[in-house]
Amino acid sequence: MAAAVATSKWKTRRRRVYQSVFQTDITQPTPHSTPSSRFTEQGQPFGGHTPLSELKHRLHNANYALAASPDPAPGTLQPPSGHRNTTDDPDHRSVGTSSSYTPTVAASFASPTQPPPTRHFGLQDAAEDQMRYDRAWHVVTLRIALPASATAEDSFGTLASESQYQSQGQGTSSESEFYEALRLVVNAPTALPRAAHTEDLLFWHTQQVRRHFAQHVLPLLSACAEGLLGEEDLRDPTGRGSYEKHMIIVMSSVRTLEAAMRLYSYGMQLLVRGIQRVQAADKENAAADPELSAGRFRRDVHALVSNSASPQLMRSLRVVLVHLVGNTLGVPAQKQGRQDRDAETTRPAPPTENDLNSLASRKRLLELLDPLYSVGLAGERFQILFAEVMDGMMSEFVKGAYAGVWASPTEQHGLVRSTSITGLQATSPASSSPCISSLCNWVENHYARLAIEVLSRITDDPSQPPVTLSDVKTYQSLALGRLAALRISELFDIVLAWPSSRGALDDLRAAITTPARRLQLTDSFAEALRRRLLHPGRSTLEILQTYIAMIRTFHALDHSKVLLSRVSPNLQLYLCGREDAVRIVVTGLLASTEEIRAARMEKQMREEKEGMGRGRQARTPRSGAFMTPALPPRRGLRSRHGTPDVEEAGIRDVPPPSASTAGGTHSTKLVELALLMTDPVQSRRAGGADEDADLDWNDMSWVPDPIDAGANYKRPRSEDVIGTLISALGSQDTFIREFQVIVAERLLSDQARFDQEVRVLNLLKKRFGEAALQNCDVMIRDIQDSRRLDGAIRKVQGVQDGEQPRPPPAATPTNPKTRSRPAPPSASPSASSTEAPYHARILSRLFWPSLEREHFLLPAPISEQQKHYEQGYEHLKASRKLTWLNQLGQATVELELQDRTVAVDCKTYEATVIYAFQSSDTTPARMTVSDLEDQLQMDDDLITSALSFWASKGVLARRGDTYIVLETAPASDQALTSSAPGSPEAAAESEPAAAAVVVDEKEAGRRAVYWQYIRGMLTNASATMPLGQMAMMMKMLIADGFPWSNEELQEFLGEKVGDGELEIVGGKYRLVRK
Amino acid sequence: MEDIQNSAPGSVPAGKLGARKGADPSQNAAKRLQTELMQLMTSPAPGVSAFPSADGNLLAWNATIEGPADTPYADLTFKLSFEFPSNYPYAPPTVLYKTPIYHPNVDFSGRICLDILKDKWTPAYNIQSVLLSLQSLLGEPNNASPLNGEAAELWDKDPTLFKTKVMDRHKDIGDD
């Protein structure tokens, strides 16, 4: 509707434009032109036919200019061309232009094929012939002359022009007169041998058409193109939005051209018919086939049209093509950018059999082609345009239809597959990939089909099939190449989405068949890796998770691991810089069954959720999580970063037995590894048992090594994620050492059972062999043995444990060979008289990672028990002694305060510190750090940390340097609640303060040490030294580094000078001698 | 919350619980000497001190011993030089008296006869223990194997003459 209104509006506007530019009345049959002086001099008797003669002169002029031959031979029907008929010319020329002989002309006098020049002809005869010729010429040309405004009618496509022509023609000459004249003109060389100036009628017509086209049709065409488009349309680069307008432009241009064509061919047909008739009557002179000339004329005009098609028209044509082809092929137009394409609706998809939109577009397109072809717009430029559009469509289809579609949408494409005739799928490994088969189908059944239909309509040579089967295959391989490029660019996301992205790998595997493609793939992936993963913003856990996904993805992609080996070195190098990598892997391996279960459930839930939005799945949720800088909680990691030392963090990582909640623990652990560990496929290659796998004659899936494999390439046997991961982290030894440390931590924790550790140990043994993991074996046995031993010792000593032993605190080993760690007992400050049960774990020193011993005094009742226990042990194992590792144990503490009882499981040093408060005789009990240090001989770091621990439990409160026991809980509920869960504010406040004290103490200690250095230096190294040298020596000699600047040192030395310890002599310091 | 409370302070002792890794053997001597220096500085023994020489070479030290009271060497200070082999502490340092000293177990060029600096050396000794041994040697010379026979004789026979000889021989050396 809207289109129709627009059309009629536009028509009236166009008419107005036209009328303002052109006069609408009939003008001269031939255009005016100023006769050249040269021809008037020759005095040709043209009588009253001025316009004609002028035209002729003009044409002569043109010919002279165009070619060396002065006179076109009128007798030939050849269209004008530069080299035409020079041999015919001389005689005419000798008469008409006697003054201008040229050597060429002279030479051709001797030509035997021509009648000898007749010098007897009088000028009189010549003039008469010429006059007759001119008259005949006039008759003919008047008949076929083009009206200047021929295409001015309002309604294009009517036959008005023809009737107009006829009436016009009849008005001037009758049929027979025309043919007679035509005969004269055509056969001028024989009929009017003395006419000096003759013309090629066809050439004249062609020229006339050209001029007419340029003067009248082109302005109309540009009016068509410009009248309709608003600024907005011109700015729109694709133009797809304003398809209707562009369609109108194309259609009106085509109609204008059609009308012009009718005009041109009408004249031509007259000529051709006439000439045929003339030739039929006069067989001798059948010089050339007029049909041939007519064909040539048509080509000429087509070339004219297609070469003069304006950019605007081509642009409109492109828009129209894009729209129609797009609809036909199922590639929908994209409106205003990609944002508002909502997932499924605008995705390109192969049109179904009865897709009305597609069918209509196809019909419309094919309808459009015929007129285009007939007016000459379907020439080379159109074909290029069409090729470009088709090319764009293929890219768009591949990108639109398959980007992010990694799952297998089998139902959707299943039915079309069978219709393929190329058999490409059957032979290529791609047959398994739904994307590839659907793409091949699309190319074959839609793309190639459209190409055939279109090209066959515009081809000049119908005998040749426009698209051959091999072309179709080329299209398919092109499409596959594009799909591969798409997948390669997506590869990183594919890896992230593993395993839901398997489908995409099928596509890729089929496509990366050449080394070049494989190289492109690895290059592009390595780049993505660098850009998106290997930077400080990614946690080690994420990197490891991605690496696992990479190993699996690339293994699925390429069993040979050649590809993986090309992309992973960077990653491995980067991982080496992450100190916590090994630890994460090991803790991942040791993930408890609850964690595994939780992870599985979460995975299932996620899959179910994603299951609803199939097709796009995987991508959005997962990559979303990876794109945002805000990452899942990483509490465990952070504490690890803080302390390069591993043990502590590991202890913390042990999940509280009660807290096996799914969400929290999952994201901080590499649970995948634990899953993989139990996967039988993964552990298949236990310990290189099948070393000769290459010789496995029964391996039906054997394929040769890829051609880009290195010289020493060794075929890997299975996916073996864990093996690859471990080798990426350095040597097996590093891994085992780390494993040992972590297992040690876990064994020393208060876990009751160690099933998981034993299980993992056994699995690792399969992988690394028994010997490598012997230490771990011993460690586990130690723990088991000490349980027995513990019981035995207690029995021997007759200790009655009134209560069941609590989680056995660790105690320990012994003689040169063993070491012991203490197991502090439950201490209860208020009820110290009751004997607390005391248990120990005994470790064989040589097999455990070295554990630092921390000295402090245990509470008296405990150390008594400890001694007791030690005696019991030595009694049992006479040759061994226990060395106690007091700081590694656990204690259960019950504090009876005035208004409440607090029961806490804590570390032994924490228990010791709180126990010490009991000895304070003030009420409430109060102690300072240095009091405690004196009393317990404990490291002040430990004391501070223990005090903060108790403060966080709401048992202690800090008052300046002093800690006091809170006998009554803080009055307000708020304070109570905030302190019970470990009041963050309170902690935040107290810690910096505590830190300040510590810093001061530390600083003082440091200054004392530095003073010792300076004294030692001045005593022994050199009695006097300048400041600079002293600073240099200090920097060099102090192992932990010397943080002071020269100025600070100078200030410090200045103080000492002030104290009378130092003196400055000649700019150098020296000790004051006493 | 509790965990955070717990872990932040907990990270302090972590360093103490950790395994200490063995250092690269070639670095051992320098590392060990640095550590010994730190020990000397943090817990200095009375009457002895030592420090690397001013040229910054960790393998060459100077030391000072004050003569113990109640011995002929009371109120005297003696300078010594230590040369450490690169495989220290598996081999003993070479120790010489720089200050001239009249002593039964020290010859006139300052060389010392002390078993722990020869065959009785073990890596368990350190600079401080060597210095303390030397200090005690001043009060209790080993007259059974003298380097200075006259001194050994006089030690027992004529303590006064011995003291005179000590004072004659002693001469404070300045560094500069």
Side-chain angles (χ1 to χ4, degrees):
Chain A
M1 240 341 202
V5 173
T7 313
S8 71
K9 247 193 212 157
W10 175 78
K11 267 183 186 165
T12 49
R13 188 141 42 110
R14 192 177 137 281
R15 190 178 346 149
R16 249 176 304 163
V17 169
Y18 179 83
Q19 283 170 348
S20 66
V21 176
F22 305 104
Q23 291 130 354
T24 46
D25 48 355
I26 307 284
T27 53
Q28 301 278 352
T30 50
H32 290 281
S33 121
T34 312
S36 88
S37 55
R38 182 168 169 199
F39 285 97
T40 42
E41 265 172 29
Q42 286 173 316
Q44 302 295 341
F46 285 144
H49 313 299
T50 342
L52 265 188
S53 70
E54 275 170 1
L55 169 67
K56 227 173 96 184
H57 287 164
R58 211 189 64 79
L59 289 177
H60 271 286
N61 241 350
N63 257 5
Y64 278 119
L66 190 66
S69 80
D71 268 35
T76 60
L77 292 176
Q78 308 274 348
S81 72
H83 61 274
R84 172 182 56 105
N85 292 344
T86 26
T87 50
D88 286 348
D89 294 344
D91 47 343
H92 303 295
R93 188 175 221 208
S94 64
V95 176
T97 60
S98 51
S99 59
S100 62
Y101 277 118
T102 62
T104 344
V105 171
S108 56
F109 270 101
S111 165
T113 58
Q114 291 298 320
T118 48
R119 292 198 171 258
H120 323 288
F121 288 152
L123 273 178
Q124 206 69 32
D125 296 337
E128 192 177 324
D129 273 7
Q130 188 64 53
M131 199 159 64
R132 283 180 66 203
Y133 178 84
D134 286 340
R135 279 197 188 123
W137 177 267
H138 175 66
V139 168
V140 173
T141 53
L142 191 63
R143 183 73 188 273
I144 62 172
L146 295 170
S149 57
T151 50
E153 317 100 282
D154 278 346
S155 59
F156 289 94
T158 68
L159 290 179
S161 60
E162 186 131 3
S163 55
Q164 180 196 356
Y165 251 113
Q166 268 157 10
S167 63
Q168 193 190 0
Q170 275 155 7
T172 44
S173 59
S174 68
E175 279 293 291
S176 56
E177 198 182 343
F178 171 71
Y179 284 121
E180 177 55 26
L182 186 62
R183 192 185 63 80
L184 279 179
V185 172
V186 170
N187 292 333
T190 47
L192 301 169
R194 275 154 310 192
H197 291 275
T198 57
E199 290 294 339
D200 181 347
L201 192 60
L202 290 174
F203 175 68
W204 176 83
H205 184 58
T206 309
Q207 290 294 78
Q208 153 180 276
V209 163
R210 280 190 187 173
R211 201 173 50 252
H212 182 268
F213 184 79
Q215 285 183 347
H216 302 301
V217 180
L218 276 187
L220 272 182
L221 285 179
S222 56
C224 288
E226 278 157 11
L228 209 49
L229 287 179
E231 212 174 301
E232 182 191 336
D233 302 315
L234 291 172
R235 254 183 292 138
D236 177 11
T238 61
R240 283 189 90 155
S242 48
Y243 156 71
E244 284 85 6
K245 289 182 187 172
H246 288 288
M247 188 64 181
I248 291 168
I249 291 174
V250 171
M251 287 318 289
S252 56
S253 302
V254 166
R255 289 208 186 103
T256 307
L257 286 169
E258 270 179 335
M261 281 303 156
R262 262 196 304 277
L263 275 186
Y264 302 155
S265 61
Y266 171 72
M268 193 63 199
Q269 274 165 4
L270 272 185
L271 284 182
V272 168
R273 257 202 312 265
I275 292 171
Q276 274 170 338
R277 208 194 271 185
V278 169
Q279 283 176 344
D282 186 4
K283 296 275 188 224
E284 302 161 32
N285 286 311
D289 183 3
E291 287 295 351
L292 208 60
S293 316
R296 218 172 267 150
F297 170 75
R298 210 177 307 120
R299 268 206 305 281
D300 220 31
V301 175
H302 282 177
L304 183 64
V305 170
S306 107
N307 285 331
S308 57
S310 64
Q312 291 96 327
L313 179 59
M314 292 316 277
R315 188 165 163 277
S316 297
L317 197 54
R318 176 186 290 271
V319 173
V320 170
L321 272 183
V322 165
H323 182 88
L324 291 177
V325 171
N327 278 345
T328 311
L329 295 180
V331 182
Q334 292 165 9
K335 308 242 162 68
Q336 288 95 34
R338 316 195 127 236
Q339 278 82 347
D340 52 332
R341 14 184 311 186
D342 35 358
E344 305 300 326
T345 52
T346 56
R347 229 158 216 269
T352 52
E353 295 301 325
N354 41 16
D355 181 343
L356 287 181
N357 192 14
S358 161
L359 290 179
S361 296
R362 177 190 299 270
K363 195 157 155 266
R364 188 82 198 77
L365 177 62
L366 297 181
E367 279 171 2
L368 180 63
L369 287 175
D370 286 331
L372 279 181
Y373 180 66
S374 70
V375 302
L377 276 178
E380 198 177 336
R381 282 177 72 181
F382 175 81
Q383 290 174 19
I384 292 174
L385 186 67
F386 180 68
E388 285 172 3
V389 169
M390 288 297 271
D391 177 71
M393 282 302 149
M394 185 185 279
S395 299
E396 208 163 296
F397 182 82
V398 169
K399 206 159 108 211
Y402 301 115
V405 181
W406 302 328
S408 358
T410 38
E411 329 79 8
Q412 195 181 341
H413 301 294
L415 68 166
V416 268
R417 196 191 294 187
S418 54
T419 62
S420 166
I421 52 157
T422 58
L424 181 67
Q425 299 96 313
T427 54
S428 81
S431 51
S432 57
S433 161
C435 280
I436 288 188
S437 57
S438 91
L439 181 60
C440 286
N441 260 309
W442 178 78
V443 168
E444 188 179 309
N445 295 327
H446 298 279
Y447 193 84
R449 177 176 156 206
L450 185 69
I452 293 176
E453 284 172 347
V454 168
L455 292 181
S456 64
R457 252 160 240 256
I458 59 174
T459 182
D460 290 327
D461 179 8
S463 63
Q464 201 86 7
V467 176
T468 62
L469 198 57
S470 69
D471 287 337
V472 176
K473 292 210 167 180
T474 312
Y475 296 162
Q476 279 174 340
S477 68
L478 274 177
L480 286 189
R482 272 166 215 197
L483 183 62
L486 173 74
R487 289 290 183 245
I488 286 175
S489 69
E490 286 178 339
L491 188 55
F492 192 79
D493 292 309
I494 293 176
V495 167
L496 292 187
W498 174 269
S500 55
S501 55
R502 262 174 213 272
L505 293 179
D506 292 336
D507 300 343
L508 206 47
R509 191 176 328 116
I512 47 159
T513 44
T514 63
R517 281 250 174 88
R518 291 164 70 97
L519 192 65
Q520 186 196 349
L521 178 137
T522 51
D523 284 353
S524 125
F525 188 78
E527 168 62 20
L529 209 55
R530 196 184 57 68
R531 197 162 33 82
R532 293 181 56 183
L533 190 68
L534 303 182
H535 55 74
R538 290 269 170 268
S539 75
T540 311
L541 183 69
E542 286 170 310
I543 295 179
L544 285 170
Q545 276 168 340
T546 312
Y547 190 36
I548 292 177
M550 259 173 73
I551 296 173
R552 311 201 66 179
T553 307
F554 276 78
H555 183 259
L557 192 59
D558 168 31
H559 284 269
S560 70
K561 276 196 185 160
V562 171
L563 289 182
L564 181 64
S565 70
R566 281 209 230 124
V567 293
S568 53
N570 274 343
L571 181 71
Q572 295 180 353
L573 218 60
Y574 190 85
L575 268 183
C576 289
R578 295 280 182 125
E579 285 175 0
D580 49 347
V582 178
R583 165 159 293 265
I584 290 181
V585 170
V586 175
T587 45
L589 283 175
L590 289 172
S592 67
T593 38
E594 289 93 47
E595 287 168 315
I596 296 177
R597 218 174 299 130
R600 274 210 189 107
M601 270 169 54
E602 190 167 303
K603 204 163 138 199
Q604 264 174 13
M605 274 165 51
R606 206 172 49 208
E607 268 162 19
E608 275 165 27
K609 225 188 296 160
E610 284 164 8
M612 295 186 240
R614 214 159 195 252
R616 299 190 61 96
Q617 117 209 63
R619 196 176 183 204
T620 13
R622 243 310 191 102
S623 70
F626 259 81
M627 301 314 292
T628 49
L631 290 164
R634 258 190 281 150
R635 188 159 41 76
L637 290 184
R638 214 169 294 135
S639 78
R640 232 170 261 144
H641 285 310
T643 62
D645 194 287
V646 281
E647 301 205 356
E648 176 64 14
I651 289 174
R652 287 231 176 226
D653 251 10
V654 178
S658 57
S660 57
T661 50
T665 48
H666 154 73
S667 49
T668 57
K669 279 209 180 182
L670 213 53
V671 188
E672 294 92 329
L673 275 183
L675 290 172
L676 288 175
M677 192 80 177
T678 52
D679 183 351
V681 180
Q682 290 289 325
S683 50
R684 191 176 50 188
R685 58 156 243 156
D690 47 354
E691 206 55 54
D692 290 333
D694 273 346
L695 301 178
D696 182 3
W697 304 111
N698 294 321
D699 183 3
M700 285 304 143
S701 59
W702 185 90
V703 283
D705 292 346
I707 46 178
D708 47 356
N712 291 324
Y713 171 70
K714 186 105 171 38
R715 167 172 300 273
R717 270 165 295 275
S718 72
E719 193 176 0
D720 192 20
V721 172
I722 296 176
T724 314
L725 200 58
I726 290 172
S727 65
L729 296 172
S731 69
Q732 176 180 321
D733 292 348
T734 327
F735 181 80
I736 291 178
R737 213 176 303 133
E738 186 72 10
F739 179 75
Q740 217 177 315
V741 169
I742 291 171
V743 166
E745 280 162 15
R746 304 187 118 206
L747 290 178
L748 295 180
S749 71
D750 53 1
Q751 261 171 283
R753 304 178 58 81
F754 300 100
D755 298 345
Q756 175 73 5
E757 283 75 10
V758 173
R759 204 168 55 87
V760 172
L761 182 62
N762 287 335
L763 287 169
L764 284 179
K765 269 192 214 159
K766 272 199 222 157
R767 186 173 290 278
F768 297 129
E770 293 273 346
L773 291 158
Q774 190 205 3
N775 281 1
C776 295
D777 265 345
V778 175
M779 282 157 63
I780 289 180
R781 218 187 43 228
D782 271 350
I783 297 299
Q784 289 162 347
D785 284 356
S786 38
R787 249 176 238 169
R788 262 186 305 111
L789 216 55
D790 194 57
I793 291 171
R794 295 170 66 81
K795 214 150 104 201
V796 167
Q797 293 184 312
V799 180
Q800 339 81 312
D801 14 344
E803 34 189 308
Q804 267 310 92
R806 307 267 321 163
T812 347
T814 47
N815 76 356
K817 254 182 111 198
T818 40
R819 269 221 223 162
S820 92
R821 41 209 332 285
S826 3
S828 149
S830 51
S832 62
S833 53
T834 60
E835 182 133 310
Y838 186 89
H839 305 274
R841 283 182 189 160
I842 297 163
L843 318 176
S844 312
R845 177 171 61 87
L846 292 180
F847 296 91
W848 286 70
S850 56
L851 300 163
E852 205 75 357
R853 195 178 160 200
E854 194 71 37
H855 170 78
F856 58 88
L857 298 180
L858 288 172
I862 305 300
S863 57
E864 235 165 72
Q865 278 201 327
Q866 198 177 53
K867 242 174 258 157
H868 210 59
Y869 196 100
E870 201 170 329
Q871 283 161 8
Y873 180 82
E874 281 163 24
H875 178 73
L876 267 172
K877 305 217 166 190
S879 61
R880 302 195 172 195
K881 283 228 187 323
L882 289 177
T883 308
W884 296 94
L885 297 172
N886 283 339
Q887 82 281 17
L888 289 180
Q890 276 99 32
T892 306
V893 178
E894 263 184 54
L895 301 171
E896 284 173 15
L897 301 167
Q898 269 175 17
D899 63 337
R900 65 198 191 281
T901 304
V902 178
V904 183
D905 283 330
C906 61
K907 302 202 177 304
T908 42
Y909 66 87
E910 289 162 350
T912 308
V913 167
I914 197 67
Y915 188 88
F917 278 82
Q918 213 174 203
S919 66
S920 167
D921 28 12
T922 57
T923 324
R926 58 175 68 227
M927 311 246 352
T928 64
V929 173
S930 49
D931 290 345
L932 290 166
E933 209 174 339
D934 293 345
Q935 189 179 333
L936 302 176
Q937 303 177 11
M938 189 190 281
D939 189 283
D940 58 346
D941 290 346
L942 283 180
I943 294 176
T944 316
S945 105
L947 289 173
S948 333
F949 172 76
W950 290 113
S952 76
K953 295 284 180 201
V955 174
L956 293 182
R958 187 196 163 100
R959 299 280 181 271
D961 286 350
T962 316
Y963 287 84
I964 59 171
V965 175
L966 292 173
E967 286 291 346
T968 52
S972 71
D973 285 354
Q974 192 191 1
L976 188 64
T977 49
S978 74
S979 65
S983 65
E985 305 89 357
E989 274 171 36
S990 67
E991 261 174 54
V997 172
V998 172
V999 164
D1000 280 349
E1001 283 172 13
K1002 275 191 172 171
E1003 183 66 19
R1006 205 155 61 171
R1007 287 161 71 96
V1009 172
Y1010 291 165
W1011 176 234
Q1012 278 300 322
Y1013 268 86
I1014 290 163
R1015 278 185 31 167
M1017 199 186 312
L1018 293 177
T1019 308
N1020 294 306
S1022 174
T1024 62
M1025 286 179 99
L1027 178 75
Q1029 195 186 1
M1030 289 169 83
M1032 195 196 71
M1033 291 277 283
M1034 300 286 275
K1035 285 198 169 88
M1036 187 181 69
L1037 293 174
I1038 298 178
D1040 301 334
F1042 179 65
W1044 287 359
S1045 66
N1046 283 7
E1047 287 69 30
E1048 281 169 300
L1049 180 61
Q1050 188 171 18
E1051 196 181 316
F1052 178 71
L1053 294 176
E1055 282 172 28
K1056 292 296 177 188
V1057 172
D1059 293 348
E1061 305 262 9
L1062 285 179
E1063 57 190 0
I1064 304 180
V1065 178
K1068 294 179 174 182
Y1069 291 90
R1070 86 173 181 207
L1071 291 170
V1072 175
R1073 296 194 192 228
K1074 302 198 169 140
Chain B
M1 268 315 146
E2 216 173 282
D3 268 357
I4 290 174
Q5 285 288 359
N6 221 347
S7 64
S11 59
V12 180
K16 304 180 181 285
L17 306 180
R20 202 153 276 173
K21 307 246 162 83
D24 181 1
S26 67
Q27 294 285 316
N28 263 352
K31 266 245 167 68
R32 156 96 182 214
L33 287 168
Q34 224 172 20
T35 314
E36 283 195 27
L37 179 62
M38 186 52 108
Q39 279 168 3
L40 277 173
M41 293 303 135
T42 48
S43 51
V48 298
S49 71
F51 208 82
S53 59
D55 61 0
N57 178 7
L58 262 179
L59 296 180
W61 288 40
N62 294 319
T64 309
I65 297 179
E66 289 170 17
D70 309 329
T71 69
Y73 307 98
D75 297 331
L76 301 178
T77 52
F78 298 95
K79 299 273 182 196
L80 297 97
S81 74
F82 279 67
E83 296 281 341
F84 296 95
S86 62
N87 60 345
Y88 180 82
Y90 301 107
T94 309
V95 186
L96 291 179
Y97 272 98
K98 304 307 274 187
T99 310
I101 181 172
Y102 187 76
H103 187 274
N105 300 110
V106 182
D107 70 8
F108 287 107
S109 50
R111 283 177 295 210
I112 305 165
C113 176
L114 181 63
D115 52 0
I116 64 162
L117 289 176
K118 305 271 164 27
D119 48 327
K120 291 285 170 54
W121 172 262
T122 79
Y125 289 120
N126 57 31
I127 299 170
Q128 197 161 24
S129 58
V130 168
L131 283 173
L132 290 174
S133 299
L134 288 172
Q135 198 182 27
S136 68
L137 194 66
L138 292 181
E140 307 158 14
N142 177 4
N143 287 326
S145 58
L147 278 178
N148 183 341
E150 183 201 55
E153 241 171 72
L154 283 180
W155 176 268
D156 289 326
K157 290 186 180 159
D158 192 347
T160 321
L161 181 57
F162 186 87
K163 169 78 178 172
T164 316
K165 296 238 178 197
V166 166
M167 298 312 284
D168 284 350
R169 177 118 178 88
H170 184 264
K171 192 177 90 190
D172 267 333
I173 52 161
D175 301 82
D176 32 5

